[in-house]
Amino acid sequence: MNTFPLFFKFENQPVAIIGGGEVAQRKADLLKRAGANLTIVAPKISTDIYALLGNDKQDDKQRSTENKHQLVCETYDKKWLVGKRIVIAATDDKQLNKQIYQDAKALNIPINVVDTPHLCDFIFPAIVDRNPIVIGISSNGQAPVLARLLRARLETLIPQGYGKLAKLAGNMRAEVKAKIPTLTGRRQFWERAFEGRVSELMFAGREGDAEATLRQDLAQIADDYLSPVAQTPSKSASTHSTNGEVYVVGTGPGDAELLTFKALRLMQQADIVYYDALVSPQILDLCRRDADKVYVGKKRSEHAVAQQDLNQLLVDNAKKGKRVVRLKGGDPFVFGRGGEEIQALQAAGIPYQIVPGITAANAAACYTGIPLTHRDHAQSVKFVSGFLKAGEPNTDFAQLLDPEQTVVFYMGLSALERLTQGLIKAGKPANTPIAIVSHASLPNQRVLTGTLTNIVAKQTDANLPTPAIIIMGEVVNLHQTLAWYGDDIAKLSQQAHALNMV
Ligand code: SAH
């Protein structure tokens, strides 16, 4: 270990930063967050530093109007280092930085000369801040970019609610210690809290419920300890806290990278997973390895598991104490029947969470360069089901005639001919641009563009497979210039090449 990580309490501690530019500002920002009293010394101090520190009052309770920080617009003088806990040299003058280093050494004050590892007594780590949980990552100045990348990975893994969870635990620590006499008992109690419903409630932003549940668990366990017959308090408490729950999770259009952090976290807690046809194998792989994975997909017209039976399965498993994850392609509340599942859970009193996902329309739009709205072409967008009900498109065409509105048809491919004919008959111009996007956002994405008149013939030739979504409106023309993904790029660069050859 070349450096040793310590977590220093800077609250109200004097710190000097020499320098008044951007680098100084970044350090000032960090140290301000840690509560330090900063002295900034530089002939010129940036307005950003003034904005950051200019109005940070000493102590609100004392109604002091004095700034907690000192901004000194002067050339450097050693006197500003005296009495400081640490010093940061952040000037762009190498000679001066060296001078500050020597002065700090003479005063025996630890110093960091920014971006100069050999003149640093300590290092600013890359920080993951879930106060009071704080993680510092250092490469001892060897590879700060690598440390930052590692930090980014940790940021994605650690839910924002961790800080609040730690604060709650901190607040209840003494109480728990008083009620659970053994160290093992306390460890088990906290493990259950942090891996179970209490943390889930906290991560879902329900702080009050999290605390209430924790208190309930504690009361139950304390009762067990008091009861002369209960020899195994931890067992009875664990039965108590294994209430099942259902997570209805939108998985987006298929690319695992388009999952949300929350989706991934809940997927990794699953005891049982119900998934449908639009959920890709890569996404399924990200669920907890030991979870049972059950296919309940529906293809058009054939239902693998009837919706009602599925609702019942969710309820039954949750009642058995399982964490049930219901994975749905795209967004659960966009043509996903998520509403019906939630109604069933609500009726049975099962706790649930719903996680939004990127819906196919959004994925198709972004991955084909067809903006759904555009100042010049479309002021609104409509998501419509093109699904055939009793042989007819389930669509009121009169509502789709606005030339400044983009219309996206889900489940419309098999009704393409009826849709296009119906629209033309209702008065939509026959040359209205339209695009079919198959496997949006996936490596096998394909796009077919045309007009209401010719798209059917084009699709008969091209035979783009499902799942496919249809986008209609002026914005489709932008695909020509804004396409950037997959096959489109190859096609467009071929076109450009061909034009140059002419
Ligand atoms: N809840 C889903 C929609 C389910 S309905 C969502 O929010 O995306 C099923 C329809 O979604 C399909 O018929 C198709 O029109 C569309 N769809 C889903 N995934 C798609 C994809 N990757 N590419 C194109 N269309 C897709």
Side-chain angles (χ1 to χ4, degrees):
M1 241 191 308
N2 297 94
T3 53
F4 190 86
L6 288 173
F7 292 88
F8 201 96
K9 292 186 178 173
F10 273 123
E11 186 76 40
N12 292 327
Q13 295 296 312
V15 169
I17 300 179
I18 315 302
E22 212 181 308
V23 181
Q25 184 210 328
R26 279 203 296 273
K27 301 300 181 212
D29 189 21
L30 281 174
L31 289 160
K32 179 191 164 180
R33 275 159 53 186
N37 293 358
L38 299 171
T39 299
I40 312 280
V41 183
K44 204 166 153 258
I45 296 177
S46 74
T47 48
D48 286 344
I49 293 186
Y50 272 102
L52 181 72
L53 304 177
N55 203 18
D56 200 7
K57 297 290 178 292
Q58 196 56 266
D59 183 347
D60 277 343
K61 274 177 236 137
Q62 290 170 18
R63 293 182 189 281
S64 165
T65 50
E66 231 163 76
N67 196 333
K68 179 177 163 72
H69 312 290
Q70 244 187 321
L71 286 87
V72 184
C73 281
E74 288 177 16
T75 48
Y76 165 72
D77 188 293
K78 179 171 154 182
K79 72 177 177 193
W80 295 110
L81 308 191
V82 176
K84 303 297 187 292
R85 304 303 298 262
I86 59 164
V87 171
I88 291 129
T91 82
D92 48 15
D93 178 341
K94 276 192 180 154
Q95 215 39 50
L96 178 57
N97 280 349
K98 208 161 181 182
Q99 179 63 51
I100 302 167
Y101 175 79
Q102 279 156 2
D103 292 345
K105 286 271 124 186
L107 289 163
N108 214 6
I109 303 173
I111 178 164
N112 174 293
V113 178
V114 175
D115 285 339
T116 320
H118 70 281
L119 298 183
C120 284
D121 293 323
F122 61 91
I123 290 203
F124 279 89
I127 297 170
V128 180
D129 183 1
R130 301 285 187 277
N131 192 43
I133 304 252
V134 180
I135 302 171
I137 304 155
S138 156
S139 65
N140 192 20
Q142 312 277 302
V145 174
L146 201 58
R148 280 202 291 276
L149 288 177
L150 192 54
R151 178 199 139 193
R153 295 186 91 169
L154 291 174
E155 288 281 7
T156 64
L157 288 176
I158 303 170
Q160 291 295 330
Y162 248 66
K164 286 185 180 151
L165 195 59
K167 271 182 208 142
L168 173 63
N171 291 341
M172 288 193 51
R173 224 178 133 184
E175 215 173 311
V176 170
K177 204 167 175 183
K179 290 198 173 140
I180 306 177
T182 67
L183 200 66
T184 320
R186 289 199 291 277
R187 186 177 50 76
Q188 285 175 348
F189 171 79
W190 285 122
E191 276 174 7
R192 263 196 309 275
F194 296 148
E195 286 173 0
R197 178 136 180 82
V198 172
S199 60
E200 262 329 306
L201 286 166
M202 195 59 103
F203 298 158
R206 293 163 60 188
E207 287 170 53
D209 292 339
E211 181 168 347
T213 307
L214 192 63
R215 288 192 178 284
Q216 221 177 14
D217 285 356
L218 182 60
Q220 168 96 21
I221 242 190
D223 278 355
D224 289 343
Y225 273 106
L226 289 177
S227 148
V229 280
Q231 295 302 310
T232 51
S234 56
K235 199 170 157 216
S236 109
S238 79
T239 331
H240 170 77
S241 59
T242 52
N243 293 326
E245 191 164 4
V246 177
Y247 309 135
V248 179
V249 175
T251 59
D255 177 356
E257 283 203 27
L258 295 178
L259 281 172
T260 59
F261 297 154
K262 187 166 270 203
L264 187 61
R265 187 169 56 72
L266 295 178
M267 284 157 63
Q268 288 178 349
Q269 300 194 6
D271 293 316
I272 185 159
V273 178
Y274 292 105
Y275 66 100
D276 60 33
L278 290 171
V279 175
S280 64
Q282 298 91 303
I283 286 178
L284 207 56
D285 262 0
L286 294 172
C287 291
R288 195 168 70 90
R289 212 171 290 274
D290 296 338
D292 291 332
K293 292 157 192 127
V294 185
Y295 177 70
V296 289
K298 294 163 217 154
K299 297 220 173 84
R300 214 170 44 80
S301 74
E302 70 181 76
H303 290 238
V305 177
Q307 186 69 46
Q308 267 193 349
D309 298 341
L310 176 58
N311 295 352
Q312 199 54 49
L313 277 174
L314 301 180
V315 169
D316 290 348
N317 277 288
K319 278 191 174 158
K320 282 186 208 152
K322 293 198 175 162
R323 291 198 201 183
V324 184
V325 170
R326 170 72 173 111
L327 295 182
K328 282 176 170 293
D331 181 273
F333 278 7
V334 178
F335 303 120
R337 303 191 73 174
E340 292 158 60
E341 286 167 21
I342 297 302
Q343 276 164 347
L345 296 171
Q346 223 171 30
I350 306 287
Y352 57 83
Q353 289 187 47
I354 312 166
V355 182
I358 294 177
T359 192
N362 291 136
C366 289
Y367 277 76
T368 54
I370 302 178
L372 294 178
T373 65
H374 188 288
R375 274 163 64 119
D376 301 332
H377 307 292
Q379 316 309 320
S380 64
V381 55
K382 201 167 217 160
F383 293 176
V384 181
S385 164
F387 184 62
L388 285 177
K389 214 175 193 180
E392 286 299 320
N394 186 14
T395 309
D396 179 0
F397 292 118
Q399 282 189 20
L400 308 179
L401 302 182
D402 179 355
E404 298 233 313
Q405 180 170 69
T406 306
V407 180
V408 183
F409 294 99
Y410 286 70
M411 301 170 280
L413 197 59
S414 61
L416 186 65
E417 191 163 357
R418 284 177 212 228
L419 283 176
T420 50
Q421 283 175 1
L423 282 159
I424 292 173
K425 221 156 129 197
K428 193 89 184 163
N431 63 354
T432 305
I434 189 165
I436 302 173
V437 187
S438 162
H439 291 287
S441 83
L442 296 168
N444 53 347
Q445 169 177 302
R446 287 177 66 194
V447 189
L448 191 65
T449 54
T451 63
L452 284 183
T453 332
N454 65 17
I455 194 74
V456 172
K458 281 187 161 191
Q459 165 62 1
T460 310
D461 276 352
N463 201 16
L464 261 52
T466 57
I469 198 153
I470 299 164
I471 307 178
M472 175 181 77
E474 289 300 319
V475 287
V476 169
N477 288 334
L478 293 165
H479 171 66
Q480 276 296 324
T481 43
L482 300 184
W484 59 276
Y485 180 71
D487 265 4
D488 292 340
I489 292 301
K491 251 188 280 160
L492 291 171
S493 73
Q494 265 171 16
Q495 277 169 16
H497 201 64
L499 284 176
N500 283 340
M501 308 269 284
V502 172

